[in-house]
C-alpha cells in the first residue's frame, strides 16, 4: 500500500524512503507551528483549512516551543538543512507524528502539498504511509502563462487556477494582459485602454478588465500560494487594442477598428514617435507599482510590422524604462535580436530558436517550447478544442522532454526554468481551460521540479493514472487521454 501511494506523487520528489508505521489523521490531530516562526504560520493555517474541508475534523492550530507530542503535524525550521533553500522541505511521517522541516514559507507550503497528495483523494480512512521525503526543485522558475487578452478570466477563476497550479508546486503565474484583441488592466493615466480595449475580445471570447485593486488582489492571493505574478504587456506588436483606443499612438494618427480575428503580426507601436515612450513609461510605471514581484514581461514577439532598426530602438528604450522601475525585463525570444542587456530574461517559444549564450548576451532562459508546452495545442487530431499550428501535443509530448536538450547549445545553468502557456483564441471558459491544462500541466510541473534522472514516461504514466480520481474529486474537467490507464478509485 505505502509504496503504491508514495510513488504516485507529482512532481516526483528528489528522495522518498519508506518508514515503519502509518500516521492516522483523526478528530484529535493538531497542527503545530514552531512558536515565533512567521514563515511556518501561514502554511500551517493553509494546511488546517485543507484538512478541515477534506476530513471534517477540527484541526486546531497551536504555536509550540518544542516538538509536540503524538498525534500532531509539526512545522519547524529545526533540522532543516540549508541545502533545502527557500522552496525545499523535509517531510517525515512516522506512526505517531508528522514533521515538516523547511527554511521558508514556500518550503513549508510545498511540504503541505506533498502531505495532501499522500492522503486519499476524497474519502477516509485518513492514513498516511510512514516515509521520509527530502525534496527541492530543479528549476527556480516553474510557470503557467494564461492569455486573458484573447478571452478574459475573472479574479475568482484565476484564484481557483492558482490553487490548482500551486498544488503541483508551480510558482509563477504569467498573465498576458494585452494583445490585438483586448486590454485587461486599468491604467489610470490612459484609461481608454481598459475602458475601450476591455470591451473587446477574440471571436467568441469574453471581454472585461481588472481594476488595479483586483490585480493587486490576484497578486496577494498568488503570494499566499507561494506564486509570483508576472504581468505582460505585449509590444511593439500585438497592440491593436491600444492603437484602437488612442489614435495618437498610430503612425497615421488614425485609430484602427477593434480586432477579433486570429491573425498576428499586423500591428505595431510607432518606434519613431516620442508619445510611444510616454505611453510605455506610464503603463510600465503603473504596472510596476501594483506588481509585488520583480518582473515585467514586455512581449516583443511577432513584431512583423516593425523594422529591425525600429525594433532595436524600441527595445533599448523599453529596457531603460523597465530598469528605471527597478524590474527585471522579460521578453519572448525575438528580443534576442533587439540588443538585450545582461540580467534580463528570454522566454523561448519558437521551435527553431537557437538560444545560445552569445546570442542571448548571457540572459537566462525560460523555456516554453511551443511543440511541448503550448497547452492550447490539441492533444490529437480529434480534440474538439484548441489549435494545431505548433504541434499536436499528447500527454507524453508534454512530459517527455528535457529543458537542457530541447534546444541546441543550452546548459543547465542557462535555464531558469519552464513555463506552460495557454493561449485563448479558442478557449473561452473554465471548463475548456481545464480540459487543455489537465493533465498536461502536471507533466510540465514535474519537468520544472524533479531531477531529470529518475524521470521516465513509463513510470510517470502509472503515477499520473492514480491522479485521475484526484482530478475528478477536485471537479476538474480533465482530458482522459488514451495514453493513460486511468484508475477509477
Ligand atoms: C507567441 O506564441 N507569439 C509568443
Amino acid at each position: 500500500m505505502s509504496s503504491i501511494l508514495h510513488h504516485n506523487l507529482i512532481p516526483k520528489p528528489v528522495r522518498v524512503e519508506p518508514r515503519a508505521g502509518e500516521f492516522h489523521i483523526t478528530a484529535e490531530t493538531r497542527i503545530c507551528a514552531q512558536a515565533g516562526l512567521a514563515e511556518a504560520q501561514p502554511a500551517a493555517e493553509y494546511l488546517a483549512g485543507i484538512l478541515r474541508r477534506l476530513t471534517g475534523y477540527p484541526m486546531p492550530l497551536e504555536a509550540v516551543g518544542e516538538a509536540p507530542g503524538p498525534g500532531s503535524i509539526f512545522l519547524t525550521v529545526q533540522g532543516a538543512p540549508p541545502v533545502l533553500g527557500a522552496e525545499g522541505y523535509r517531510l517525515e511521517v512516522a506512526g505517531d507524528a508528522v514533521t515538516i522541516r523547511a527554511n521558508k514559507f514556500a518550503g513549508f507550503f510545498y511540504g503541505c502539498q506533498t502531505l495532501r497528495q499522500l492522503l486519499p483523494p476524497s474519502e477516509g480512512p485518513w492514513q498516511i504511509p510512514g516515509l521520509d521525503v527530502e525534496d527541492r526543485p530543479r528549476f527556480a522558475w516553474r510557470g503557467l502563462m494564461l492569455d486573458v487578452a484573447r478571452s478574459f478570466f475573472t479574479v475568482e477563476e484565476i484564484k481557483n487556477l492558482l490553487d490548482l497550479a500551486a498544488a503541483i508546486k508551480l510558482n509563477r503565474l504569467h498573465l498576458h494582459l494585452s494583445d490585438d484583441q483586448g486590454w485587461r488592466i486599468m491604467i489610470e493615466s490612459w484609461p481608454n485602454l481598459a475602458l475601450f480595449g476591455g470591451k473587446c475580445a477574440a471571436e467568441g471570447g469574453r471581454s472585461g478588465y481588472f481594476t488595479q485593486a483586483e490585480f493587486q488582489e490576484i497578486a496577494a492571493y498568488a503570494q499566499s500560494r507561494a506564486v509570483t505574478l508576472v504581468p505582460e504587456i505585449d509590444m511593439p506588436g500585438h497592440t491593436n487594442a491600444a492603437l484602437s483606443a488612442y489614435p495618437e499612438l498610430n503612425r497615421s494618427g488614425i485609430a484602427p477598428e477593434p480586432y477579433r480575428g486570429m491573425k498576428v503580426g499586423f500591428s505595431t507601436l510607432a518606434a519613431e514617435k516620442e508619445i510611444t515612450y510616454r505611453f510605455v513609461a506610464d503603463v510600465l510605471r503603473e504596472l510596476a507599482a501594483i506588481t509585488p514581484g520583480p518582473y515585467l514581461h514586455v512581449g516583443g514577439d511577432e513584431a512583423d510590422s516593425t523594422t529591425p532598426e525600429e525594433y532595436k530602438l524600441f527595445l533599448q528604450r523599453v529596457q531603460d524604462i523597465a530598469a528605471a522601475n527597478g524590474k527585471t525585463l522579460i521578453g519572448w525570444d525575438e528580443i534576442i535580436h533587439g540588443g538585450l542587456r545582461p540580467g534580463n530574461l528570454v522566454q523561448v517559444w519558437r521551435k527553431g530558436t537557437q538560444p545560445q549564450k552569445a546570442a542571448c548576451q548571457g540572459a537566462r532562459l525560460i523555456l516554453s517550447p511551443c511543440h511541448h508546452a503550448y497547452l492550447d495545442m490539441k492533444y490529437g487530431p480529434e480534440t474538439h478544442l484548441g489549435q494545431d499550428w505548433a504541434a499536436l501535443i499528447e500527454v507524453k509530448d508534454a512530459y517527455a522532454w528535457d529543458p537542457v536538450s530541447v534546444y541546441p547549445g543550452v546548459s543547465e545553468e542557462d535555464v531558469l526554468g519552464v513555463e506552460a502557456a495557454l493561449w485563448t483564441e479558442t478557449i473561452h471558459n473554465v471548463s475548456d481551460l481545464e480540459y487543455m491544462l489537465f493533465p498536461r500541466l502536471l507533466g510540465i510541473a514535474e519537468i520544472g521540479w524533479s531531477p531529470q534522472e529518475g524521470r521516465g514516461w513509463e513510470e510517470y504514466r502509472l503515477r499520473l493514472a492514480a491522479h485521475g480520481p484526484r482530478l475528478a474529486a477536485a471537479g476538474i474537467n480533465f482530458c482522459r487521454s488514451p495514453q493513460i490507464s486511468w484508475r477509477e478509485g
Side-chain angles (χ1 to χ4, degrees):
M1 182 71 170
S2 67
S3 72
I4 292 171
L5 278 174
H6 79 246
H7 282 296
N8 294 334
L9 291 167
I10 296 178
K12 185 177 187 173
V14 171
R15 181 175 68 75
V16 182
E17 286 169 14
R19 288 283 182 270
E22 287 176 341
F23 183 82
H24 291 255
I25 292 183
T26 68
E28 275 72 54
T29 304
R30 301 174 302 155
I31 299 181
C32 301
Q34 185 184 328
L37 186 56
E39 302 282 341
Q41 188 64 28
E45 284 167 19
Y46 173 83
L47 182 64
I50 282 196
L51 294 183
R52 283 175 196 142
R53 275 194 301 282
L54 187 65
T55 64
Y57 298 144
M59 293 290 157
L61 274 169
E62 284 171 39
V64 296
E66 52 193 57
S72 55
I73 299 171
F74 182 38
L75 283 69
T76 178
V77 71
Q78 287 157 12
V83 69
L84 294 179
E87 295 189 301
Y89 64 92
R90 177 116 185 243
L91 168 65
E92 293 157 279
V93 180
D96 58 350
V98 173
T99 309
I100 299 173
R101 301 177 203 278
N103 295 307
K104 295 286 177 194
F105 166 69
F108 288 113
F109 184 79
Y110 293 140
C112 294
Q113 294 294 0
T114 297
L115 186 64
R116 170 65 188 94
Q117 275 195 27
L118 291 165
L119 287 162
S122 58
E123 281 175 31
W126 307 111
Q127 61 193 37
I128 312 171
L131 43 70
D132 181 355
V133 181
E134 191 168 317
D135 202 13
R136 62 178 193 274
R138 177 179 178 192
F139 293 115
W141 188 291
R142 304 177 305 280
L144 168 62
M145 187 217 74
L146 177 64
D147 171 9
V148 291
R150 272 55 175 268
S151 191
F152 185 64
F153 288 84
T154 65
V155 172
E156 284 313 307
E157 289 167 345
I158 290 175
K159 286 183 180 175
N160 288 336
L161 183 60
L162 277 163
D163 284 336
L164 300 178
I168 48 177
K169 304 186 174 76
L170 294 177
N171 68 353
R172 301 282 185 269
L173 178 68
H174 164 184
L175 290 179
H176 182 77
L177 291 166
S178 71
D179 212 301
D180 289 320
Q181 297 88 344
W183 185 284
R184 306 294 176 216
I185 178 74
M186 172 51 77
I187 301 296
E188 306 290 352
S189 53
W190 297 74
N192 288 347
L193 293 167
L195 296 176
F196 194 85
K199 290 206 174 74
C200 309
E203 198 65 52
R206 291 191 298 188
S207 55
Y209 69 86
F210 303 119
T211 64
Q212 295 202 354
E214 286 171 334
F215 181 86
Q216 287 175 293
E217 185 183 336
I218 295 171
Y221 193 87
Q223 282 182 311
S224 78
R225 300 293 182 265
V227 174
T228 301
L229 193 62
V230 181
E232 177 187 354
I233 298 296
D234 202 349
M235 51 195 170
H238 288 275
T239 42
N240 193 75
L243 295 167
S244 160
Y246 284 100
E248 59 269 42
L249 290 176
N250 292 268
R251 262 182 199 140
S252 62
I254 301 169
E257 290 297 308
Y259 183 71
R260 302 177 70 79
M262 307 248 289
K263 291 205 195 81
V264 298
F266 60 88
S267 57
T268 185
L269 293 173
E272 75 286 2
K273 286 178 88 166
E274 200 49 37
I275 190 173
T276 294
Y277 302 103
R278 266 208 322 273
F279 164 80
V280 173
D282 288 342
V283 169
L284 294 187
R285 186 190 63 252
E286 288 195 32
L287 198 55
I290 55 173
T291 299
Y295 311 107
L296 288 179
H297 200 306
V298 298
D301 57 319
E302 298 175 313
D304 303 338
S305 301
T306 321
T307 67
E309 293 68 38
E310 290 166 349
Y311 189 87
K312 283 195 186 110
L313 168 68
F314 182 81
L315 192 66
Q316 293 312 305
R317 298 284 300 263
V318 172
Q319 288 182 104
D320 289 341
I321 294 168
N325 284 290
K327 300 290 188 186
T328 297
L329 175 142
I330 310 174
W332 297 102
D333 62 46
E334 287 89 336
I335 66 164
I336 294 171
H337 307 296
L340 195 62
R341 299 189 196 143
N344 291 332
L345 305 174
V346 176
Q347 185 165 16
V348 186
W349 67 281
R350 293 176 296 177
K351 263 185 220 174
T353 302
Q354 305 225 329
Q356 289 97 338
K357 264 200 185 69
C360 295
Q361 272 94 176
R364 296 189 75 199
L365 310 175
I366 299 160
L367 297 184
S368 301
C370 60
H371 48 306
H372 294 296
Y374 269 29
L375 301 187
D376 58 314
M377 293 298 125
K378 293 173 181 289
Y379 289 79
E382 309 301 322
T383 307
H384 61 291
L385 296 167
Q387 304 205 60
D388 60 6
W389 59 262
L392 296 172
I393 303 181
E394 247 298 357
V395 175
K396 182 175 179 183
D397 304 306
Y399 178 77
W401 58 281
D402 181 0
V404 299
S405 54
V406 70
Y407 290 103
V410 169
S411 67
E412 186 91 13
E413 300 71 52
D414 300 329
V415 179
L416 186 57
V418 297
E419 187 169 296
L422 190 77
W423 302 98
T424 55
E425 289 95 333
T426 69
I427 310 298
H428 302 149
N429 58 56
V430 167
S431 168
D432 291 354
L433 170 145
E434 289 178 351
Y435 189 85
M436 299 311 270
L437 290 184
F438 296 96
R440 293 182 292 188
L441 188 61
L442 280 74
I444 306 285
E446 176 151 308
I447 292 172
W449 182 280
S450 307
Q452 182 66 20
E453 57 171 31
R455 241 181 20 85
W457 167 248
E458 287 305 328
E459 180 267 342
Y460 174 72
R461 63 191 285 274
L462 300 179
R463 272 184 291 129
L464 183 56
H467 279 254
R470 291 185 184 280
L471 294 167
I476 296 172
N477 176 35
F478 67 102
C479 173
R480 291 182 169 269
S481 159
Q483 292 188 328
I484 309 300
S485 306
W486 295 102
R487 288 219 232 139
E488 292 307 327

